[in-house]
Amino acid sequence: MSLSLQSGGSSSRVSASSFSATGTGIVAAANAAGNQVTTRPITTGTSVLGIKYRNGVMLAADTLVSYGSLAKYKNARRLLPVNSRTLIGASGEYSDLQSISDLLIANALEDRCTADSLYEEDNTNEECAKEVWSYLRAVMYQRRNKMNPLWNDVIVAGFQQNPDGSTSDTPFLGTVDKIGTAYEDDMLATGFGGYIALPLMREKYRPDMEEGEARALLEDCLRILFYRDCRALNRVQIAKVTKEGGVLVSEPYELDTFWDYKGYVSTKAGMGTDGGW
């Protein structure tokens, strides 16, 4: 007879005959414990918005991560720099976003260590945004085929590169979802933003928008999402990628909101209610 500890510290006796002489029972138990897959997201972030403007690309997202329907983490940053010319933002499972970030950082470190120069100012060996986007497409599709997907919709922003490795003047904005579907566009939105914010962005977008106009449009869309999406927050981040300035991610800040609209406070259909939905 052998002792095995169960949860809570109690012990129970297990017959040695329950395992075969070759140890196949132990192997089966180990495989059952180790063969785990993501069946559903637990802690999730909502929409990420992206738009091209005259001199670069800009992303925006709030900082809320919800635990189911509970607004639990209010300072979770979902806009992450990959290198000096590439930026990502993602909605969906936050722990999977952390795994993606760790993977991209490891790749960037490997590129740096195998480059001809280790000096910080020499970034010709860094992956451009389109390379990062293509790599994530392959990763997402591979994980989907293993029935263990990364539960994220990722937006990649930055610049493409010239054949000599220098940064191109062509901005890049692309998205990849959890099953590997990928495409590029001048404006993108994930999550609930694809239903509410994206039509507004398409209506107001111009290819020659200045940085201030792009930021104002993204803030307006985030504000509307805060009004309409119960998983959104008015504490947000803005990030941009420019050829001259590289990647810049703002500190979180709060958007001004206005709740005195007539539709919010008036009675509904003469029913004499308190104005709630």
Side-chain angles (χ1 to χ4, degrees):
M1 304 292 285
S2 61
L3 286 174
S4 66
L5 286 179
Q6 297 180 340
S7 59
S10 62
S11 63
S12 62
R13 294 188 176 274
V14 180
S15 172
S17 61
S18 62
F19 299 100
S20 66
T22 59
T24 55
I26 298 176
V27 173
N31 288 338
N35 187 19
Q36 309 251 342
V37 298
T38 305
T39 57
R40 60 190 177 94
I42 303 297
T43 52
T44 58
T46 185
S47 310
V48 177
L49 312 179
I51 192 170
K52 293 181 184 177
Y53 61 97
R54 181 191 294 272
N55 298 316
V57 191
M58 188 174 293
L59 299 185
D62 65 23
T63 60
L64 177 66
V65 167
S66 301
Y67 184 80
S69 60
L70 173 66
K72 188 169 186 179
Y73 305 107
K74 298 184 179 181
N75 195 33
R77 307 187 181 199
R78 298 185 288 120
L79 303 181
L80 308 174
V82 177
N83 52 45
S84 65
R85 56 185 175 185
T86 305
L87 172 74
I88 66 168
S91 58
E93 173 60 44
Y94 192 70
S95 63
D96 286 346
L97 173 59
Q98 292 173 318
S99 296
I100 292 173
S101 176
D102 291 343
L103 183 62
L104 294 177
I105 289 172
N107 287 342
L109 179 61
E110 182 179 355
D111 290 341
R112 174 69 64 182
C113 291
T114 56
D116 295 333
S117 172
L118 294 177
Y119 292 107
E120 188 67 29
E121 60 270 15
D122 182 9
N123 61 0
T124 57
N125 201 49
E126 291 181 343
E127 292 180 327
C128 70
K130 192 164 188 177
E131 288 176 315
V132 173
W133 171 75
S134 182
Y135 173 72
L136 286 178
R137 177 192 55 77
V139 169
M140 294 297 203
Y141 185 67
Q142 188 268 349
R143 289 291 297 262
R144 172 254 191 183
N145 287 342
K146 296 294 185 181
M147 301 301 173
N148 187 20
L150 294 167
W151 286 83
N152 299 105
D153 291 342
V154 183
I155 292 181
V156 181
F159 283 83
Q160 302 182 28
Q161 70 179 20
N162 297 315
D164 62 357
S166 60
T167 302
S168 168
D169 293 328
T170 306
F172 177 84
L173 185 65
T175 183
V176 186
D177 69 8
K178 65 179 180 294
I179 62 172
T181 304
Y183 60 92
E184 307 172 40
D185 206 342
D186 292 333
M187 69 214 76
L188 294 170
T190 68
F192 205 56
Y195 301 96
I196 290 185
L198 195 55
L200 300 174
M201 294 166 65
R202 287 172 176 162
E203 180 182 356
K204 302 294 185 182
Y205 177 74
R206 300 192 326 273
D208 61 344
M209 293 179 72
E210 298 293 340
E211 179 182 321
E213 294 177 299
R215 177 168 182 162
L217 176 57
L218 291 180
E219 287 183 344
D220 286 343
C221 290
L222 289 173
R223 188 178 290 109
I224 292 171
L225 285 170
F226 176 56
Y227 292 149
R228 299 296 184 184
D229 183 1
C230 61
R231 300 292 181 267
L233 189 66
N234 66 330
R235 181 177 171 84
V236 302
Q237 278 187 294
I238 300 287
K240 66 176 183 178
V241 189
T242 59
K243 183 177 179 181
E244 296 78 14
V247 175
L248 179 63
V249 182
S250 75
E251 289 297 313
Y253 63 96
E254 292 190 3
L255 296 174
D256 294 331
T257 56
F258 181 75
W259 292 96
D260 293 335
Y261 293 111
K262 183 178 179 181
Y264 292 158
V265 298
S266 63
T267 59
K268 305 300 177 184
M271 297 295 292
T273 62
D274 61 358
W277 294 102

